[in-house]
């Protein structure tokens, strides 16, 4: 029997005047509807943080304390955690807010942009929903364009609200321009990292990897900016490094001091360049695919990959490798600043020296402070690890694991054990790096052992946050993000609480305040025991909740 087939009929769907951007408006409205709570939470949360800084610091600091901050410009560690300290020679409360606390508002804006762009682009493709959307009359670049417009709106609204919050605070800036410039410098960082994420979501087929790459760029930007500002604070030759960082561009505007608008052109130009690159890359890849090709795995799994613990390690191995490299290099780099700390310690006020555990043993004080600083970083790894577990469940990869001979408790505990031991490993690398860097700078190799002990002891603080994240995951995966609020609160109190002379009862609410900054301070073994017990209890609560709830797939 012969069958006669007609020539294929080409079905033409009118693309409309927008071409590859057709449907952008409708997708934007849908994203606004979907993110109505996230939009409000991010924008108001960052604005309230600005309002808190602008109001509380002005009320807490008296004239004597304000003058004490003038020495911050000479301190490389404060330059690391805050910024270049423009205007500190004629210090005001407004310049303290801009020069020290502004960078953390910028980090918040960057995280908002990274997570939002990834959520509405690569996460949609990975879940298969983007394919359904593209089956309609929707242009190739419409979803990316809508996501970028959404993030731009978030940053614009945030900028307007921050301007008002800063200008009408007790600081009472004389002119409106510096308030607007400060808020625009924060929003500019958000736009830059929206563009960065637009590129990374084209590179990888997985939202977690795309967000991780964008986060790595943010981390590198913070470190590069910090190294440049530290060098500048001690009269070094590496101050130019700050100009290689998007965070540095915004800080170089120096509101209330230099009031320079032109550095924001660098941010705007870089954001446009990243967006153009993202569009070009998206034109070269298939839907749900990445520019970076996935490596094919072996046809048969190795013998060691049989249990849930080994599988959990395999899934977190790549992240551990990259974190290990970054932490070790960062430890060596920051350790080498131990000797310059001694040279710049003379004349610093007590409000600053208390950060390093007192006036005795400035090298030990600096290394003790860095042990807590690296605990902040490793805590980020631990929280992200739990969020990765949320992604495994929502991507329907947890269900096949539990369909085998793996209990829910066994799977969650295996993942948590890998994250907990990984935290110990990373802190040990930080201790080794810090110790080696300090020993090379001071020729005191006896520091290495003490620094390593002090750094590893901080793991109990990290475990407490890990336990909280696991407890939230066990009952409601969507609530894991609340751990970031606890982390941010604890970090802010540890970095700035003593300088602001806050009440000890308030300072004790920070999870990072209890272990002690060894070798400058004695370790509190009772705090180590309590934090460890709290972590174990929280993990147990999370396991109990996970055993009783349904799996989520969206």
């Amino acid at each position: 029997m012969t069958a006669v087939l007609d020539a294929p009929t080409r079905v033409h769907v009118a693309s409309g005047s927008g071409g590859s951007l057709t449907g952008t408006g409708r997708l934007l409205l849908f994203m606004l509807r979907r993110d109505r709570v996230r939009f409000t939470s991010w924008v108001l949360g960052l604005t309230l943080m600005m309002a808190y800084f602008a109001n509380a610091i002005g009320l807490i600091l008296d004239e004597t304390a304000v003058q004490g901050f003038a020495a911050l410009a000479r301190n490389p560690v404060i330059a690391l955690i805050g910024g270049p300290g423009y205007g500190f020679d004629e210090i005001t409360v407004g310049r303290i807010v801009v020069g020290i606390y502004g960078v953390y508002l910028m980090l918040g804006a960057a995280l908002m942009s990274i997570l939002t762009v990834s959520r509405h682009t690569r996460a949609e493709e990975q879940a298969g929903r983007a394919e359904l959307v593209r089956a309609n009359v929707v242009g190739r670049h419409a979803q990316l364009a809508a996501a970028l417009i959404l993030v731009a709106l978030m940053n614009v609204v945030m900028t307007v609200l921050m301007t008002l919050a800063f200008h009408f605070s007790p600081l009472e800036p004389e002119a409106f321009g510096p308030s607007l410039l400060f808020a625009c410098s924060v929003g500019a960082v958000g736009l830059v990292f929206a563009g960065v994420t637009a590129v990374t979501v084209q590179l990888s087929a997985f939202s977690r990897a795309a967000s991780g790459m964008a986060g790595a760029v943010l981390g590198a930007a913070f470190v590069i900016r910090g190294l440049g500002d530290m060098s500048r604070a001690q009269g070094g030759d590496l101050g130019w490094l700050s100009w290689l960082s998007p965070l540095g561009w915004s800080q170089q505007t120096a509101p209330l001091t230099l009031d320079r608008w032109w550095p924001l052109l660098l941010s705007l130009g870089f954001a446009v360049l990243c967006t153009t690159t993202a569009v070009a890359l998206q034109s070269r890849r298939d839907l749900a695919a990445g520019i970076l090709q996935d490596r094919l795995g072996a046809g048969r799994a190795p013998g060691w990959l049989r249990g849930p613990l080994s599988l959990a390690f395999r899934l977190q191995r790549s992240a551990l490798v990259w974190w290990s490299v970054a932490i070790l290099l960062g430890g060596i780099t920051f350790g080498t600043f131990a000797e310059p700390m001694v040279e710049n310690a003379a004349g610093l006020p007590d409000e600053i020296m208390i950060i390093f555990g007192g006036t005795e043993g400035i090298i030990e004080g600096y290394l003790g402070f860095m042990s807590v600083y690296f605990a902040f970083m490793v805590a980020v790894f631990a929280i992200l690890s739990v969020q990765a577990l949320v992604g495994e469940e929502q991507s329907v990869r947890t269900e096949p694991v539990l369909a085998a001979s793996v209990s829910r408790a066994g799977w969650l505990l295996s993942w948590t054990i890998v994250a907990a031991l990984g935290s110990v490993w990373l802190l040990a690398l930080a201790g080794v790096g810090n110790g080696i860097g300090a020993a090379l700078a001071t020729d005191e190799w006896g520091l290495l052992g003490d620094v390593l002990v002090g750094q590893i002891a901080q793991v109990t603080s990290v475990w407490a946050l890990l336990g909280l994240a696991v407890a939230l995951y066990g009952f409601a995966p969507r609530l894991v993000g609340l751990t970031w609020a606890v982390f941010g609160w604890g970090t802010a109190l540890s970095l700035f609480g003593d300088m602001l002379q806050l009440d000890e009862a308030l300072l004790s609410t920070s999870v990072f305040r209890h272990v002690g900054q060894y070798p400058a301070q004695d370790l509190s073994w009772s705090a180590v025991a309590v934090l460890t017990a709290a972590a174990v209890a929280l993990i147990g609560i999370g396991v109990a909740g996970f055993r009783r709830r349904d799996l989520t797939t969206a």
Side-chain angles (χ1 to χ4, degrees), residues 331-338 367 432-442 445 448:
I332 294 174
T333 301
F334 291 128
T336 58
F337 279 87
L367 295 174
V432 170
N434 251 327
I436 291 176
L440 290 174
T442 63
W445 287 93
L448 181 57

Side-chain angles (χ1 to χ4, degrees), residues 38 42 46 49 103-119 151 154-155 158 186 189-194 197 211-212 214-216 218-219 247 380 384 387 484 487-488:
R38 291 173 181 265
W42 272 110
L46 291 172
M49 186 181 296
V103 67
Y104 296 95
L105 296 170
M106 297 173 191
L107 291 174
L111 289 173
M112 175 183 72
S113 297
I114 289 171
L115 296 176
T116 303
V117 172
S118 179
R119 166 180 166 82
V151 173
M154 295 174 76
N155 281 281
M158 178 191 69
V186 176
V189 174
L191 293 179
V192 166
F193 282 93
T197 312
S211 299
L218 176 60
L247 298 173
V380 173
L384 288 176
Q387 288 192 317
W484 290 111
F487 166 77

Side-chain angles (χ1 to χ4, degrees), residues 202-246:
Q202 312 307 323
L203 299 179
S204 174
F206 301 99
S207 60
R208 187 172 69 188
S211 299
M213 285 188 284
V217 175
L218 176 60
F222 184 84
V223 171
I224 291 172
R225 190 275 319 160
L227 291 175
D229 289 342
M230 288 178 77
S231 179
R232 177 183 178 276
Q234 61 186 19
D237 299 326
L238 299 177
W240 55 271
L241 285 175
S242 299
W243 288 96
L244 301 181
S245 167

Side-chain angles (χ1 to χ4, degrees), residues 64-216:
T64 302
V66 169
Q67 293 304 319
F69 269 84
L72 289 172
R74 301 196 304 271
N75 190 288
V77 172
I78 303 304
L80 165 66
I81 66 177
Y86 284 118
F88 279 17
D89 51 342
E90 298 179 6
I91 196 71
T92 64
V93 177
R95 288 174 177 173
I96 291 174
V97 174
V98 170
I100 296 181
Y101 300 92
V103 67
Y104 296 95
L105 296 170
M106 297 173 191
L107 291 174
L111 289 173
M112 175 183 72
S113 297
I114 289 171
L115 296 176
T116 303
V117 172
S118 179
R119 166 180 166 82
H120 289 292
T121 54
R122 177 54 67 181
E124 292 296 287
E125 292 188 41
Q126 187 176 341
R129 290 186 290 267
E131 186 174 4
L132 298 176
V133 172
R134 289 276 294 274
N136 293 280
V137 185
V138 174
R140 184 182 189 91
H141 305 305
Q143 194 157 20
L144 176 62
L148 290 174
I149 293 172
L150 172 65
V151 173
L153 286 174
M154 295 174 76
N155 281 281
V156 168
V157 174
M158 178 191 69
T159 298
V160 172
L161 295 178
M162 281 188 173
T163 301
L164 298 175
F166 189 76
H167 187 70
F168 294 105
S169 69
L171 304 180
E172 297 181 352
E174 296 180 0
F176 188 77
S179 300
L180 178 61
L181 176 59
F182 182 33
C184 285
S185 68
V186 176
V189 174
L191 293 179
V192 166
F193 282 93
V196 169
T197 312
V199 173
T200 61
V201 296
Q202 312 307 323
L203 299 179
S204 174
F206 301 99
S207 60
R208 187 172 69 188
S211 299
M213 285 188 284

Side-chain angles (χ1 to χ4, degrees), residues 310-352:
S310 58
L311 177 60
F313 169 72
R314 176 63 182 83
L315 293 175
Q316 299 183 69
R317 183 179 63 183
S318 179
L320 268 172
V321 169
W322 286 108
W323 273 91
S324 298
V325 173
I327 288 290
L328 180 60
L329 292 178
I332 294 174
T333 301
F334 291 128
T336 58
F337 279 87
E339 183 65 24
M341 279 299 304
V342 177
E343 300 171 359
N344 290 273
L348 291 181
D350 293 341
E351 291 84 357
I352 306 305

